[in-house]
Amino acid sequence: MNRFSTVDYTVFIFYFILISAYGYWIYSSKKNKATSGSHDFFLAEGSLTWWAIGASLIASNISAEQFIGMSGQGFQVGMAVAAYEWVAAIALIVVAVWFIPVYLKNKIFTMPQFLQTRYNETVSLIMAIFWLFLYIFVNLTSILYLGSIAISSMIDPMYFKYIVIGLAAFSLIITLGGMKVIGFTDVIQVIVLIAGGLVTTYIALTMVSDHFGLGKDAIAGFKMLMKDSPDHFKMILEKPNANSSQEYVNKYLALPGIAMYFAGQWIVNLNYWGCNQYITQRALGADLKTARTGILFAGFLKLGMPIIVMLPGIAAYVLHRNGALQHEMAPNGTVIADNAYSAVLTFLPNGLKGLSLAALTAAIVASLAGKANSISTIWTLDIYKKYINKNADEKKLVVVGRLSIFVAIVMSVVLTWDDLLGIGGEGGFTFIQKYTGFISPGVFAMFLLGMFWKRTTGTAAIAGLITGFLLSVVFNNYAPTWFGHENFLYTAYINKDGVYEIPFLICMGLSFLFTMIVMVGLSLLGPKENPKAFELDKSMFKVAPSTLVLIVVTLLLITLIYVKFW
């Protein structure tokens, strides 16, 4: 593998100094204005602009699991994996128009606070504790692990543990300044992320065109991808049949064709973007117009993300199947799909490798910082303030918040050090989807009914959370054995391990459906009048003409993409 040159390290160090200096300037200016209360630390208390909110949403979302995991999915499956990004753009429209007004009107600052306001303290405490464990043991740790693996594979695998410490320290510097520092530094992070990602994609496409004797032409490279591997450019996978290969069945299990659009794909995205402290926190401190515009701006940016995170994976697939990247994709003789992105980076010219390293680092650090701040917010405002020290003043809350950030990052370093959770064994993208997906149906049902149906009760919320989890376990592990391999609800397929499996996104949809039925049934048995129900009016959901134009343009572009690659 080509080693990094002095130019590459210079580019990367410049990026590090730029972010650190800008973050310190933001922190100093905030401190000088004497606005260092807890709400300012956790929510930036109205100081984030719409473009800062949108950029911060994208910077926090696009991390190692997208660069590495989604490129790997692009290598294995192809363009269909872009559904996660383009459905997310529609989900962000839904969140901006319908979810955020409910949060802001009711002065919601954390997701556990929403649950206590709408349901009761028991539901709030259960979910606060759950989110803390999920964010530390799944999200924070997997981001740090995948990021360190990716960067060490570019430089030298022997430096893995040093990189773990470096990424943790870098994110700690950003996070300790609070949400305002995170939000505004994320603007630079997302610019670097997009610039570096586009450069990597361009180089990958020129590598393809050059390999086939077409010169260094990115457009010719893209056309060659479509010509060489047309199956990798289908958004909707057809159901496997008796003649389908195991490779194709594996693809379908990950992205089950049109069926996933009626099942888990919406639950994944609406739960992630609309019911997730990590994401919604960027907008909760702003006014409705600013929050809504920022979220829609993020949705618009989402349209281009597959170009950055997916196309390099498809390019690596075409190059590999035509004799290139053999060692890079299979260093130990076995093809590792998650190597696709770093395999392409290996061939970048000096200087550009440093830019791509900076882009990858920007994605990782932004996500780590955002996640750590959300952990701090939930711990400080929803547990410490309510149950440990009810009389804590603003200064004390900020100190506790910073201490919890430090503890969370140190815990993630310890868990990452020797991969104690086995993330590498399952693959990072699968690891995250598996352990968040078991709870998503119940959580999303709880939020959706809590916002828009007044009769939903606290008892129904707790029952829904438990039901969603148990049904996810049943459908993912036992349904093919208990209820047969095929019926009117699902079709199970033999996976790579020789075991019947229902596509994960179908399991999620089924769990959500039955959870909703249980919650509606229990709520109908409860009182007709619910004093904790939110008061909604149509004026909350009205959008300005300029906002409507942005929504229509986004939806039109997504429609054209699906028509083209159906």
Side-chain angles (χ1 to χ4, degrees):
M1 180 173 65
N2 295 336
R3 299 295 178 184
F4 276 51
S5 68
T6 303
V7 175
D8 294 311
Y9 287 116
T10 301
V11 170
F12 178 76
I13 291 171
F14 174 76
Y15 151 75
F16 176 84
I17 294 173
L18 176 66
I19 293 294
S20 299
Y22 184 60
Y24 181 75
W25 179 77
I26 293 291
Y27 174 74
S28 298
S29 63
K30 176 194 72 172
K31 192 173 181 180
N32 291 339
K33 292 178 181 179
T35 57
S36 54
S38 62
H39 279 195
D40 182 70
F41 180 79
F42 296 116
L43 298 167
E45 199 57 41
S47 62
L48 293 184
T49 60
W50 64 265
W51 44 269
I53 291 172
S56 187
L57 284 169
I58 294 300
S60 297
N61 169 243
I62 301 298
S63 186
E65 69 265 31
Q66 272 74 31
F67 271 107
I68 307 306
M70 201 164 275
S71 287
Q73 289 279 293
F75 182 94
Q76 287 182 310
V77 180
M79 191 174 182
V81 74
Y84 279 99
E85 302 299 300
W86 288 325
V87 172
I90 302 175
L92 281 162
I93 292 174
V94 174
V95 171
V97 176
W98 286 287
F99 284 27
I100 282 296
V102 177
Y103 290 141
L104 296 183
K105 182 178 177 62
N106 291 280
K107 294 180 170 54
I108 301 298
F109 301 119
T110 71
M111 297 300 96
Q113 181 199 351
F114 169 90
L115 297 175
Q116 178 170 347
T117 304
R118 178 58 182 84
Y119 294 119
N120 55 57
E121 195 167 309
T122 301
V123 177
S124 173
L125 181 59
I126 289 172
M127 287 308 301
I129 294 171
F130 167 76
W131 272 316
L132 286 177
F133 275 93
L134 181 71
Y135 287 168
I136 294 173
F137 289 93
V138 177
N139 298 105
L140 201 64
T141 303
S142 60
I143 291 168
L144 185 58
Y145 176 84
L146 282 174
S148 301
I149 285 289
I151 293 175
S152 64
S153 68
M154 293 169 61
I155 301 174
D156 192 321
M158 69 177 291
Y159 294 135
F160 170 77
K161 292 183 177 180
Y162 297 104
I163 292 168
V164 169
I165 295 173
L167 288 174
F170 195 179
S171 61
L172 190 63
I173 291 171
I174 299 298
T175 315
L176 290 179
M179 180 51 71
K180 185 176 181 181
V181 174
I182 294 171
F184 281 107
T185 54
D186 276 352
V187 175
I188 298 179
Q189 305 265 45
V190 84
I191 291 172
V192 174
L193 183 158
I194 292 173
L198 288 174
V199 166
T200 302
T201 300
Y202 175 81
I203 295 297
L205 294 176
T206 58
M207 285 171 61
V208 171
S209 64
D210 191 44
H211 184 80
F212 285 93
L214 303 174
K216 293 186 179 298
D217 186 335
I219 295 176
F222 180 74
K223 291 179 179 178
M224 180 53 66
L225 293 184
M226 297 181 65
K227 179 180 178 181
D228 182 85
S229 301
D231 288 345
H232 265 54
F233 284 88
K234 289 185 177 179
M235 286 300 303
I236 309 294
L237 301 181
E238 297 180 0
K239 274 191 170 185
N241 54 45
N243 298 320
S244 298
S245 65
Q246 185 61 56
E247 180 183 5
Y248 185 80
V249 172
N250 294 339
K251 292 180 182 181
Y252 190 83
L253 285 170
L255 295 160
I258 193 71
M260 72 178 178
Y261 293 96
F262 297 97
Q265 193 61 251
W266 291 105
I267 299 164
V268 167
N269 277 292
L270 286 171
N271 180 65
Y272 179 84
W273 292 103
C275 314
N276 186 348
Q277 179 74 28
Y278 173 46
I279 294 299
T280 54
Q281 187 165 338
R282 273 113 183 102
L284 294 181
D287 61 81
L288 178 58
K289 181 181 178 182
T290 303
R292 182 174 271 164
T293 306
I295 293 170
L296 291 174
F297 177 54
F300 189 76
L301 291 177
K302 263 289 178 185
L303 297 180
M305 288 302 107
I307 297 172
I308 294 173
V309 299
M310 177 200 67
L311 271 184
I314 300 179
Y317 172 80
V318 170
L319 288 168
H320 180 263
R321 78 190 295 258
N322 286 280
L325 303 182
Q326 297 301 307
H327 174 72
E328 290 77 10
M329 290 305 306
N332 299 316
T334 302
V335 174
I336 303 172
D338 282 354
N339 282 357
Y341 196 81
S342 56
V344 173
L345 292 183
T346 301
F347 293 90
L348 291 177
N350 292 340
L352 291 183
K353 270 191 285 196
L355 178 61
S356 293
L357 176 63
L360 185 56
T361 304
I364 297 162
V365 169
S367 288
L368 287 172
K371 188 67 70 179
N373 188 269
S374 295
I375 291 166
S376 172
T377 303
I378 292 174
W379 166 258
T380 306
L381 300 185
D382 293 301
I383 295 180
Y384 180 81
K385 173 69 172 174
K386 287 169 61 177
Y387 301 104
I388 299 174
N389 188 355
K390 295 182 179 180
N391 299 318
D393 59 19
E394 294 291 293
K395 184 177 180 181
K396 179 68 173 179
L397 292 177
V398 173
V399 170
V400 170
R402 288 188 172 129
L403 180 61
S404 61
I405 288 169
F406 179 79
V407 171
I409 289 180
V410 169
M411 288 177 67
S412 68
V413 169
V414 172
L415 292 168
T416 302
W417 199 253
D418 290 308
D419 191 16
L420 296 180
L421 297 180
I423 300 171
E426 292 191 78
F429 197 76
T430 301
F431 180 86
I432 293 172
Q433 296 301 319
K434 177 179 178 180
Y435 289 101
T436 57
F438 276 73
I439 204 73
S440 295
V443 172
F444 182 56
M446 191 166 53
F447 271 80
L448 187 66
L449 290 177
M451 285 186 194
F452 302 111
W453 192 41
K454 291 184 176 182
R455 288 194 63 174
T456 314
T457 63
T459 300
I462 294 175
L465 185 64
I466 296 171
T467 301
F469 175 75
L470 293 178
L471 287 177
S472 293
V473 172
V474 169
F475 283 117
N476 277 282
N477 296 284
Y478 303 110
T481 301
W482 292 357
F483 310 119
H485 303 149
E486 185 173 358
N487 54 51
F488 71 100
L489 289 174
Y490 63 79
T491 300
Y493 302 91
I494 297 177
N495 63 21
K496 61 184 179 180
D497 298 319
V499 178
Y500 277 98
E501 178 183 339
I502 305 169
F504 178 78
L505 291 170
I506 304 299
C507 293
M508 194 180 294
L510 292 172
S511 300
F512 175 73
L513 172 64
F514 288 111
T515 297
M516 290 284 283
I517 292 172
V518 168
M519 289 186 65
V520 169
L522 287 174
S523 296
L524 289 174
L525 295 175
K528 291 184 179 180
E529 297 295 328
N530 188 345
K532 281 186 167 276
F534 292 140
E535 291 298 326
L536 305 178
D537 59 77
K538 292 182 180 179
S539 64
M540 293 168 55
F541 308 115
K542 289 182 179 179
V543 296
S546 58
T547 303
L548 187 61
V549 169
L550 183 57
I551 291 172
V552 170
V553 169
T554 301
L555 293 175
L556 181 61
L557 289 172
I558 294 171
T559 302
L560 292 174
I561 291 168
Y562 271 85
V563 169
K564 170 66 176 176
F565 295 103
W566 182 273

